[in-house]
Amino acid sequence: MLLPLIALIVLLLAAWFWRSSMQGKELATLAARNICETHDLQLLDETVAIKSLKFRRDEMGSPALLRHYEFEYYDGDQTRKKSTIDLLGNVVVDMGLNRTGDSNDNVIRLH
């Protein structure tokens, strides 16, 4: 009786994690698209990808997943450039456009 209950709990946790991950990627893609449109850049399709996943506390002190995404865009200078987006839970907390090659260049701090 205990084994099916544990299996069900594991299955539910896996489904929650998968759904949360898909929502996070959708939010990161939307944020990347918006920042590229704002700066007249071309977001390269299918380049938004998760690079790290950590546990952090949000502003309320509750545990949340911090997801670090990278994406690529084209700036018109014959080069692809990489930038980042950080989500804490379902909130974008950091975005950046790496316009000069320096990884800390043009980082937008939201909190």
Side-chain angles (χ1 to χ4, degrees), residues 13-70:
L13 285 173
W16 169 83
F17 181 76
W18 178 81
R19 186 167 192 270
S20 177
S21 296
M22 292 298 104
Q23 287 178 335
K25 183 169 181 176
E26 288 174 14
L27 287 171
T29 301
L30 181 62
R33 187 174 294 122
N34 288 341
I35 197 170
C36 285
E37 286 176 4
T38 300
H39 294 281
D40 294 323
L41 303 168
Q42 179 184 359
L43 174 65
L44 299 177
D45 292 337
E46 302 301 324
T47 62
V48 178
I50 193 160
K51 293 299 173 184
S52 69
L53 182 66
K54 300 176 184 175
F55 283 103
R56 292 282 189 264
R57 296 203 178 268
D58 62 13
E59 289 183 349
M60 304 297 288
S62 301
L65 290 174
L66 176 65
R67 294 179 176 95
H68 179 75
Y69 292 89
E70 284 185 355

Side-chain angles (χ1 to χ4, degrees), residues 95-109:
M95 284 192 297
L97 284 177
N98 187 4
R99 304 289 300 266
T100 63
D102 178 11
S103 62
N104 293 321
D105 187 39
N106 296 323
V107 173
I108 302 167
R109 299 282 179 216

